[in-house]
Amino acid sequence: MTNHISAPAAGNQAAADDTMKAIVQDAYGSADVLRSGRTARPRIAENEVLIRVHAAGMDRGTWHMTTGRPYLLRILGFGFRRPKNSVPGIDVAGTVAAVGSAVSRFAVGDQVYGMSRGSFAEYAAALEDKLAHKPSNLSFEQAAVVPISAGTALQALDAGQVERGQKVLVLGASGGVGTYAVQLAKSLGAEVTGVSSAGKADLVRSLGADHVLDYATDDFADGSRHYDLILDIGGNPKLSRLRRALTPTGTAVVVGGEEGGKWTGGFGRSLRAPLVSLFVRQRLAMLASKERASDLERLNPLLKSGAVTPTIDRTFTLADVPDAMRRLEAGHVRGKIAITVFRG
């Protein structure tokens, strides 16, 4: 393993250089379990990159990891009684500080973004195949809110096999994934209808949506319009309602959900979707999104051209991560929250 971080002097300085500022989580719970502290700087394997974190992104996935809910996540290996990784955060953007001996795509000093383990810290480790070079026209904060959400939106549209001219409905259009789904669907030539709260309708229109529905007053399944593809992002409609809004051979991709109980949450509905699909002409699919650099490479030209633009609701400092989480929990976020860690 090659380590390009300058060697510390000695004594207390050596100890200080082996640690870093971070948000630490010792137990599952609300935002109150998140605290500022110092922890060991991550060590990297031969296929990993050490990143000097400039900015991190926060989304619902971070919330699930903080609360440990649904409990299915704990069973799947994220830590049963407490988080396996005591530093939360996945989305990351920063500068390469060190590379493993098997890393070939990056060098010290490169500006990168992608998915890491523990991005709410001064340094984070990431697999080489989960990183891409940061588009030069994006700030670190803008880049940090792209990876998980935009990658998920891209994979959802791939799963839906969207084609130019099709009618696409995006449920949860003002959220982290939804803001990217609207823009990506438009870039592919679809006619897009977004569903959001009335207070966020202006945001959805600004992203290029052709039509916007208010989830509180407009029923997307009232039969007045049918869609070739529905992306159900964080909504909770019954599968029968999704089917009523589809064309006879349309597709619905269930990306997420926030209800369904403390054990499976929205996963229960996601798991039922492909089973129902076996008995009807319409296709109902669940999305198990993956973290991969290949999605970022596909997104880079769109980000550079401005066809896709990150939507940042608000930027917080590292020390204010608990407050950022509370804003997320309250449902006030339009797009994504960015966390500024290091400037320079």
Side-chain angles (χ1 to χ4, degrees):
M1 181 178 71
T2 303
N3 193 325
H4 297 279
I5 298 177
S6 299
N12 292 337
Q13 182 62 41
D17 285 351
D18 286 338
T19 64
M20 62 181 181
K21 293 179 182 178
I23 294 297
V24 180
Q25 178 185 354
D26 302 313
Y28 290 120
S30 67
D32 294 336
V33 303
L34 302 173
R35 61 180 176 84
S36 296
R38 295 196 72 87
T39 190
R41 186 180 298 181
R43 296 182 178 277
I44 56 173
E46 62 180 12
N47 61 340
E48 290 186 320
V49 172
L50 183 67
I51 302 167
R52 174 64 154 125
V53 180
H54 288 245
M58 177 183 288
D59 59 9
R60 292 298 295 186
T62 314
W63 178 86
H64 286 297
M65 298 306 176
T66 300
T67 61
R69 297 184 65 176
Y71 294 152
L72 178 61
L73 292 175
R74 308 188 192 193
I75 298 172
L76 292 175
F78 291 96
F80 192 74
R81 296 186 179 277
R82 63 182 61 85
K84 182 180 293 184
N85 187 2
S86 62
V87 178
I90 299 174
D91 282 335
V92 68
T95 304
V96 174
V99 297
S101 59
V103 172
S104 59
R105 295 172 50 234
F106 303 105
V108 172
D110 286 352
Q111 295 184 353
V112 297
Y113 77 123
M115 289 73 65
S116 69
R117 59 177 192 271
S119 60
F120 294 169
E122 292 180 308
Y123 290 90
L127 292 168
E128 180 183 21
D129 61 8
K130 292 188 178 183
L131 294 174
H133 288 94
K134 181 183 77 68
S136 59
N137 62 313
L138 296 189
S139 68
F140 284 106
E141 284 79 9
Q142 287 177 310
V145 301
V146 170
I148 293 291
S149 296
T152 299
L154 184 63
Q155 291 173 41
L157 288 166
D158 285 346
Q161 301 172 1
V162 64
E163 297 178 3
R164 180 172 294 277
Q166 287 188 329
K167 292 180 172 61
V168 175
L169 178 71
V170 179
L171 303 179
S174 63
V177 177
T179 52
Y180 289 110
V182 170
Q183 295 179 83
L184 288 168
K186 285 298 297 179
S187 74
L188 293 169
E191 179 183 330
V192 180
T193 299
V195 179
S196 71
S197 66
K200 299 176 181 178
D202 60 328
L203 167 63
V204 180
R205 290 191 186 92
S206 73
L207 298 172
D210 299 285
H211 316 280
V212 181
L213 301 179
D214 178 354
Y215 76 84
T217 59
D218 300 321
D219 182 5
F220 69 85
D222 64 3
S224 62
R225 181 183 289 258
H226 294 88
Y227 302 93
D228 302 291
L229 172 62
I230 297 176
L231 300 185
D232 182 7
I233 305 167
N236 297 287
K238 292 182 179 180
L239 297 179
S240 58
R241 288 193 68 216
L242 294 179
R243 290 191 57 214
R244 283 201 300 272
L246 285 174
T247 62
T249 57
T251 297
V253 179
V254 180
V255 181
E258 298 301 330
E259 295 181 2
K262 62 184 179 181
W263 282 97
T264 61
F267 289 110
R269 194 170 57 100
S270 297
L271 293 170
R272 289 194 302 274
L275 295 178
V276 172
S277 191
L278 295 174
F279 304 99
V280 298
R281 291 177 63 198
Q282 295 158 326
R283 188 166 69 94
L284 307 179
M286 66 168 286
L287 178 70
S289 60
K290 300 176 176 61
E291 299 175 2
R292 56 197 186 197
S294 58
D295 289 333
L296 302 179
E297 298 294 352
R298 290 173 61 190
L299 288 164
N300 272 358
L302 296 170
L303 293 164
K304 290 176 181 177
S305 70
V308 173
T309 302
T311 301
I312 296 179
D313 171 81
R314 190 174 295 183
T315 301
F316 291 79
T317 66
L318 184 62
D320 290 331
V321 161
D323 289 335
M325 183 64 72
R326 292 184 187 99
R327 180 170 176 80
L328 184 69
E329 289 173 339
H332 299 318
V333 177
R334 298 157 58 99
K336 294 283 292 288
I337 287 176
I339 308 298
T340 298
V341 180
F342 173 74
R343 293 188 183 277

Short mmCIF file of all heavy atoms in Angstrom, two decimals, residues 3 20 29 67 89 101 111 126 130 152 169 172 177 227 259-260 283 298-299 303 305 310-311 318 321 338:
data_model
loop_
_atom_site.label_atom_id
_atom_site.label_comp_id
_atom_site.label_asym_id
_atom_site.label_seq_id
_atom_site.Cartn_x
_atom_site.Cartn_y
_atom_site.Cartn_z
N ASN A 3 1.29 5.15 0.75
CA ASN A 3 0.70 6.21 1.55
C ASN A 3 1.47 7.48 1.28
O ASN A 3 2.67 7.55 1.51
CB ASN A 3 0.78 5.84 3.04
CG ASN A 3 -0.10 6.76 3.87
OD1 ASN A 3 -0.23 7.93 3.56
ND2 ASN A 3 -0.69 6.22 4.91
N MET A 20 -8.58 12.40 13.48
CA MET A 20 -9.25 13.43 12.67
C MET A 20 -10.54 13.84 13.34
O MET A 20 -11.11 13.11 14.16
CB MET A 20 -9.55 12.87 11.28
CG MET A 20 -10.50 11.69 11.30
SD MET A 20 -10.81 11.03 9.64
CE MET A 20 -11.98 9.71 10.04
N GLY A 29 -30.37 5.86 16.73
CA GLY A 29 -31.34 6.75 17.34
C GLY A 29 -31.59 7.97 16.48
O GLY A 29 -31.30 7.98 15.28
N THR A 67 -30.74 5.92 12.34
CA THR A 67 -31.79 5.38 13.20
C THR A 67 -31.75 3.86 13.32
O THR A 67 -32.32 3.29 14.25
CB THR A 67 -33.18 5.79 12.66
OG1 THR A 67 -33.34 5.25 11.34
CG2 THR A 67 -33.32 7.30 12.61
N GLY A 89 -22.20 8.75 6.90
CA GLY A 89 -21.96 9.49 5.66
C GLY A 89 -21.40 8.63 4.55
O GLY A 89 -20.48 7.84 4.78
N SER A 101 -1.75 0.53 -3.32
CA SER A 101 -0.78 0.07 -4.33
C SER A 101 -1.42 -0.44 -5.61
O SER A 101 -0.79 -0.44 -6.67
CB SER A 101 0.10 -1.03 -3.73
OG SER A 101 -0.70 -2.13 -3.29
N GLN A 111 -9.01 15.69 -7.80
CA GLN A 111 -10.30 16.01 -7.21
C GLN A 111 -11.30 14.94 -7.62
O GLN A 111 -11.49 14.69 -8.82
CB GLN A 111 -10.76 17.40 -7.68
CG GLN A 111 -9.87 18.52 -7.19
CD GLN A 111 -10.38 19.90 -7.56
OE1 GLN A 111 -11.36 20.04 -8.30
NE2 GLN A 111 -9.73 20.94 -7.06
N ALA A 126 -12.35 5.13 0.37
CA ALA A 126 -13.31 4.70 -0.65
C ALA A 126 -12.64 3.72 -1.59
O ALA A 126 -11.45 3.84 -1.91
CB ALA A 126 -13.83 5.90 -1.44
N LYS A 130 -15.60 3.05 -6.79
CA LYS A 130 -16.76 3.83 -6.37
C LYS A 130 -16.50 5.34 -6.49
O LYS A 130 -17.25 6.14 -5.96
CB LYS A 130 -17.15 3.49 -4.93
CG LYS A 130 -17.71 2.08 -4.78
CD LYS A 130 -18.26 1.85 -3.38
CE LYS A 130 -18.85 0.44 -3.27
NZ LYS A 130 -19.47 0.21 -1.94
N THR A 152 -28.89 6.52 -8.19
CA THR A 152 -30.14 5.78 -8.01
C THR A 152 -31.16 6.17 -9.06
O THR A 152 -31.85 5.31 -9.63
CB THR A 152 -30.71 6.05 -6.60
OG1 THR A 152 -29.77 5.60 -5.62
CG2 THR A 152 -32.03 5.33 -6.40
N LEU A 169 -43.92 9.51 -14.87
CA LEU A 169 -44.40 10.11 -13.63
C LEU A 169 -43.36 9.88 -12.54
O LEU A 169 -42.93 8.74 -12.33
CB LEU A 169 -45.73 9.48 -13.21
CG LEU A 169 -46.34 9.97 -11.89
CD1 LEU A 169 -46.85 11.40 -12.04
CD2 LEU A 169 -47.47 9.05 -11.44
N GLY A 172 -42.38 11.91 -5.61
CA GLY A 172 -41.27 12.37 -4.79
C GLY A 172 -40.28 13.17 -5.61
O GLY A 172 -39.07 13.08 -5.44
N VAL A 177 -33.39 11.97 -4.79
CA VAL A 177 -33.41 11.15 -6.01
C VAL A 177 -34.33 11.77 -7.05
O VAL A 177 -34.01 11.81 -8.24
CB VAL A 177 -33.83 9.70 -5.69
CG1 VAL A 177 -33.92 8.86 -6.96
CG2 VAL A 177 -32.86 9.05 -4.71
N TYR A 227 -49.44 6.59 -17.68
CA TYR A 227 -48.00 6.78 -17.86
C TYR A 227 -47.32 5.49 -18.33
O TYR A 227 -47.69 4.39 -17.92
CB TYR A 227 -47.37 7.25 -16.55
CG TYR A 227 -47.99 8.53 -16.04
CD1 TYR A 227 -49.06 8.50 -15.15
CD2 TYR A 227 -47.52 9.77 -16.47
CE1 TYR A 227 -49.64 9.68 -14.70
CE2 TYR A 227 -48.11 10.95 -16.02
CZ TYR A 227 -49.17 10.89 -15.14
OH TYR A 227 -49.75 12.05 -14.70
N GLU A 259 -42.77 4.02 4.85
CA GLU A 259 -43.72 3.43 5.77
C GLU A 259 -43.59 1.92 5.70
O GLU A 259 -42.70 1.38 5.06
CB GLU A 259 -45.14 3.89 5.43
CG GLU A 259 -45.35 5.39 5.63
CD GLU A 259 -46.75 5.84 5.31
OE1 GLU A 259 -47.59 4.98 4.96
OE2 GLU A 259 -47.03 7.04 5.40
N GLY A 260 -44.51 1.21 6.39
CA GLY A 260 -44.49 -0.24 6.31
C GLY A 260 -44.03 -0.93 7.57
O GLY A 260 -43.86 -2.14 7.59
N ARG A 283 -45.47 -4.19 -15.89
CA ARG A 283 -44.26 -4.64 -15.20
C ARG A 283 -44.04 -3.81 -13.96
O ARG A 283 -43.96 -2.59 -14.01
CB ARG A 283 -43.03 -4.52 -16.14
CG ARG A 283 -41.77 -5.16 -15.56
CD ARG A 283 -40.72 -5.32 -16.65
NE ARG A 283 -40.20 -4.03 -17.08
CZ ARG A 283 -39.09 -3.46 -16.58
NH1 ARG A 283 -38.41 -4.08 -15.62
NH2 ARG A 283 -38.66 -2.32 -17.05
N ARG A 298 -21.12 8.14 -16.50
CA ARG A 298 -22.23 8.45 -17.40
C ARG A 298 -22.84 9.81 -17.08
O ARG A 298 -23.31 10.52 -17.97
CB ARG A 298 -23.31 7.36 -17.31
CG ARG A 298 -22.92 6.03 -17.90
CD ARG A 298 -23.99 4.97 -17.62
NE ARG A 298 -25.28 5.33 -18.20
CZ ARG A 298 -26.42 4.68 -17.93
NH1 ARG A 298 -26.42 3.68 -17.07
NH2 ARG A 298 -27.55 5.05 -18.51
N LEU A 299 -22.84 10.15 -15.79
CA LEU A 299 -23.43 11.41 -15.37
C LEU A 299 -22.52 12.61 -15.68
O LEU A 299 -23.02 13.73 -15.89
CB LEU A 299 -23.72 11.38 -13.87
CG LEU A 299 -24.89 10.49 -13.42
CD1 LEU A 299 -24.82 10.25 -11.92
CD2 LEU A 299 -26.22 11.15 -13.79
N LEU A 303 -23.54 16.57 -16.26
CA LEU A 303 -23.22 17.57 -15.24
C LEU A 303 -22.37 18.70 -15.83
O LEU A 303 -22.57 19.87 -15.51
CB LEU A 303 -22.48 16.90 -14.07
CG LEU A 303 -23.31 15.91 -13.24
CD1 LEU A 303 -22.39 15.05 -12.38
CD2 LEU A 303 -24.33 16.65 -12.37
N SER A 305 -22.33 19.69 -18.96
CA SER A 305 -23.10 20.47 -19.94
C SER A 305 -24.20 21.29 -19.28
O SER A 305 -24.74 22.21 -19.91
CB SER A 305 -23.73 19.54 -20.97
OG SER A 305 -24.77 18.76 -20.38
N PRO A 310 -27.13 19.78 -9.75
CA PRO A 310 -27.44 19.40 -8.37
C PRO A 310 -28.29 20.48 -7.69
O PRO A 310 -28.09 21.68 -7.91
CB PRO A 310 -26.06 19.30 -7.69
CG PRO A 310 -25.10 19.11 -8.83
CD PRO A 310 -25.68 19.88 -9.97
N THR A 311 -29.24 20.04 -6.88
CA THR A 311 -30.10 20.95 -6.13
C THR A 311 -29.71 20.88 -4.65
O THR A 311 -29.91 19.84 -4.01
CB THR A 311 -31.58 20.58 -6.28
OG1 THR A 311 -31.94 20.63 -7.67
CG2 THR A 311 -32.46 21.52 -5.49
N LEU A 318 -19.54 20.71 9.38
CA LEU A 318 -19.42 19.37 9.96
C LEU A 318 -20.00 19.34 11.37
O LEU A 318 -20.72 18.40 11.72
CB LEU A 318 -17.95 18.94 9.97
CG LEU A 318 -17.67 17.51 10.47
CD1 LEU A 318 -18.32 16.48 9.56
CD2 LEU A 318 -16.15 17.27 10.53
N VAL A 321 -23.90 18.85 11.69
CA VAL A 321 -24.55 17.68 11.09
C VAL A 321 -25.82 17.28 11.85
O VAL A 321 -26.84 16.95 11.22
CB VAL A 321 -23.57 16.50 10.97
CG1 VAL A 321 -24.32 15.17 10.79
CG2 VAL A 321 -22.63 16.71 9.79
N ALA A 338 -25.96 19.58 1.79
CA ALA A 338 -24.50 19.43 1.67
C ALA A 338 -23.84 19.78 2.99
O ALA A 338 -24.29 20.67 3.71
CB ALA A 338 -23.95 20.32 0.57
#
